[in-house]
Amino acid sequence: MKKLITFLSIIAIVAAIAACEKKVPDFVPQKQDQGQQKDKDKDKDKDKDKEPEQPVPLSKDFISAGKVIAEMGAGWNLGNTLDANSGDTTNMWIECWGPHGIEDYEKAWGQVPATRELFHMMREAGFRTIRVPVTWYPHMGTDFDFTGHQPVWYPSVNPLGYTVDEDWMARVKQVVDDVLAEDMYCIINVHHDTGTANTHWLVASEENYAVSKDRFTGLWKQIATTFKDYDNRLMFEGYNEMTDDADSWCFASFGTPGNYDEGMATSAYNAINSYAQDFVKTVRESGGNNDKRNLIVNTYAACSGDGNWNSHLKDPLIRMKLPEDPATDHLMLQVHYYPSFKANDDYEGSVKTFIKNLDENLASKGAPVIIGEWGVSDTSEIRYDKNNSKFIKFAEFFVKTAKAHNMATIYWMGITDGNDRAVPKFTQPDLKDAIIKGAQ
């Protein structure tokens, strides 16, 4: 996803009603005698000497997708790190101007290389899940030949390769190992190989599927083989936000002149379902623990069906098919959620409607739901840097409501960002606290 989130300004059309407040019941303290108070003071002194209560260890043995989601707790995306890339075939600035070693990619979008210390901080704060977005195309053996030192890549002349560079796979493995060493769930995916940048090679169309199928399954065979012996805490996500030939968000073919084209939409949904099925089949056949690993497939563009301003908004949910799987109860379905609120919108009502829609149109297919990225659009009047207190309340309410419906939530980035990750420390500690509280 383009992390400026500008594409989701469409969601600003959605309107809601005024916010409501929960009434907190009155509390009447009971009278205590001095002896009782002294006993309580002694107990407090004893409590000070106790070690902090440690969370229950996660399940290393393979359990069902629904049980995993119940353990996932608060989640965070290691965004703009292993997913960073040049993102424009006419300006491949990382590859052309260099340096472009592994760390240079991690730092290209303003972050620092991920460390175990960062994940330790997240774990100590109460997070139980880290999603690690990974972009693979710059690291697949492609010969970027920049004639005349012009940063232009012509894929027709220098086509994308098939084999992942060993040093890149080793770095992904190191990050996964660091997450698991802190006893957290880890999700790795195929990230900006999808999307609307012209460097994407995975497109939701039957024509693209025919061309890219072998490269896609070949990539997943390499990933799955590398991690085949890893335990239940590692999950694979087949693809991130795969869009159609019109770079449509919200639903397939929305980017066409008439905002809907049935032929393009059908081709897009068919391709998504084909890629999802191939992903599951490839991983299951790769050996080791992958025959029972929990796998995640996304709707078209990871669209969530949120809103009511167009009759096609729910199509990505309705037309998503749960892949056939020889394993039982080891699949999850994923969407992303970036609403845009007016200052006085009833965000609680919006969240309830959103979750209800996922229950009715996605979870009903027979697999639990992950909201793998969430936040708000940069057009929202309720966000971290504007109406902060209301945004903090929204964040806690959203996580709490999703959890009550056995849906996992993984926040996009901001709570620790940039050089703060090197310390490490939280950039937005109040938001961190709200997410943790909501997930309890």
Side-chain angles (χ1 to χ4, degrees):
M1 164 168 304
K2 293 302 182 188
K3 298 308 162 202
L4 294 178
I5 319 174
T6 53
F7 58 82
L8 285 170
S9 59
I10 299 292
I11 307 302
I13 301 173
V14 181
I17 57 176
C20 59
E21 296 180 349
K22 292 183 179 178
K23 183 177 180 181
V24 179
D26 293 332
F27 172 69
V28 180
Q30 299 297 312
K31 191 173 182 179
Q32 298 177 349
D33 62 34
Q34 290 184 347
Q36 288 176 320
Q37 184 59 47
K38 287 180 180 178
D39 290 340
K40 290 199 170 186
D41 290 340
K42 288 180 181 179
D43 291 338
K44 287 181 180 179
D45 290 336
K46 291 179 182 178
D47 289 340
K48 290 179 182 178
D49 297 329
K50 291 181 179 178
E51 291 292 328
E53 184 177 345
Q54 295 299 312
V56 176
L58 299 179
S59 300
K60 293 183 180 181
D61 294 334
F62 285 86
I63 56 178
S64 70
K67 290 180 179 178
V68 165
I69 283 186
E71 289 190 350
M72 286 174 67
W76 177 70
N77 276 274
L78 181 72
N80 290 8
T81 307
L82 295 182
D83 53 322
N85 66 105
S86 292
D88 184 355
T89 58
T90 68
N91 184 21
M92 299 293 288
W93 57 278
I94 302 175
E95 291 78 10
C96 183
W97 306 123
H100 48 271
I102 300 302
E103 285 196 0
D104 298 304
Y105 277 96
E106 287 191 64
K107 296 186 291 186
W109 286 3
Q111 302 302 324
V112 297
T115 63
R116 181 171 173 181
E117 288 76 16
L118 171 64
F119 302 131
H120 181 74
M121 178 188 75
M122 301 300 294
R123 180 69 171 80
E124 288 293 295
F127 285 85
R128 306 305 304 269
T129 300
I130 304 293
R131 180 173 178 254
V132 181
V134 184
T135 300
W136 299 89
Y137 80 83
H139 315 286
M140 294 176 65
T142 303
D143 180 16
F144 295 105
D145 180 16
F146 300 113
T147 304
H149 298 288
Q150 295 300 311
V152 181
W153 174 35
Y154 298 98
S156 60
V157 177
N158 301 114
L160 185 64
Y162 283 79
T163 303
V164 177
D165 299 339
E166 290 184 7
D167 56 351
W168 183 251
M169 186 69 84
R171 178 55 182 154
V172 174
K173 186 176 183 296
Q174 182 62 62
V175 172
V176 170
D177 288 346
D178 286 347
V179 174
L180 298 184
E182 294 299 328
D183 194 30
M184 293 188 287
Y185 278 108
C186 183
I187 299 169
I188 56 173
N189 73 352
V190 174
H191 203 74
H192 288 303
D193 305 87
T194 68
T196 58
N198 59 17
T199 49
H200 66 193
W201 57 277
L202 291 170
V203 178
S205 75
E206 291 170 311
E207 181 179 3
N208 174 267
Y209 171 71
V211 172
S212 300
K213 172 184 177 179
D214 289 346
R215 182 178 285 111
F216 176 72
T217 56
L219 173 58
W220 268 113
K221 184 175 181 179
Q222 293 173 76
I223 299 170
T225 300
T226 298
F227 295 99
K228 67 180 182 179
D229 295 324
Y230 279 56
D231 63 43
N232 173 68
R233 296 171 300 168
L234 176 63
M235 291 175 276
F236 298 154
E237 173 193 326
Y239 46 85
N240 181 42
E241 296 167 345
M242 199 184 308
T243 57
D244 60 21
D245 288 320
D247 294 337
S248 303
W249 297 110
C250 303
F251 54 85
S253 81
F254 180 62
T256 60
N259 297 132
Y260 187 73
D261 180 283
E262 176 58 34
M264 178 178 286
T266 296
S267 177
Y269 295 127
N270 287 346
I272 287 289
N273 290 321
S274 294
Y275 276 120
Q277 185 64 67
D278 284 351
F279 161 64
V280 172
K281 184 175 186 293
T282 299
V283 173
R284 293 291 181 240
E285 293 176 350
S286 61
N289 291 329
N290 290 330
D291 62 346
K292 51 188 174 292
R293 188 172 307 285
N294 284 295
L295 305 179
I296 304 163
V297 292
N298 297 3
T299 61
Y300 168 86
C303 293
S304 67
D306 190 38
N308 57 12
W309 51 270
N310 190 292
S311 62
H312 294 290
L313 284 169
K314 292 180 176 58
D315 288 358
L317 280 60
I318 294 169
R319 299 178 75 167
M320 181 75 196
K321 293 180 180 178
L322 189 67
E324 294 181 5
D325 187 8
T328 302
D329 296 332
H330 287 292
L331 294 181
M332 306 177 187
L333 295 162
Q334 180 171 286
V335 299
H336 297 165
Y337 182 53
Y338 292 97
S340 182
F341 297 117
K342 297 296 184 183
N344 293 319
D345 277 353
D346 172 22
Y347 62 80
E348 289 192 3
S350 296
V351 167
K352 290 176 182 177
T353 299
F354 168 72
I355 296 296
K356 182 174 182 289
N357 178 40
L358 292 181
D359 265 336
E360 293 178 350
N361 294 297
L362 203 59
S364 60
K365 296 180 185 294
V369 173
I370 291 181
I371 302 159
E373 294 181 17
W374 70 274
V376 292
S377 165
D378 61 356
T379 64
S380 180
E381 294 177 8
I382 300 175
R383 58 180 191 264
Y384 188 81
D385 61 347
K386 187 175 184 179
N387 285 315
N388 174 271
S389 62
K390 189 171 286 190
F391 177 75
I392 295 300
K393 291 177 181 177
F394 154 72
E396 180 183 340
F397 182 81
F398 173 69
V399 174
K400 182 178 181 180
T401 304
K403 181 185 178 183
H405 289 256
N406 201 36
M407 296 182 189
T409 53
I410 308 175
Y411 186 72
W412 182 261
M413 273 192 50
I415 55 176
T416 180
D417 199 22
N419 289 330
D420 284 348
R421 294 188 190 176
V423 177
K425 68 177 183 179
F426 286 102
T427 309
Q428 300 169 337
D430 49 350
L431 177 56
K432 174 261 297 182
D433 290 343
I435 292 171
I436 296 298
K437 185 177 180 180
Q440 290 174 344

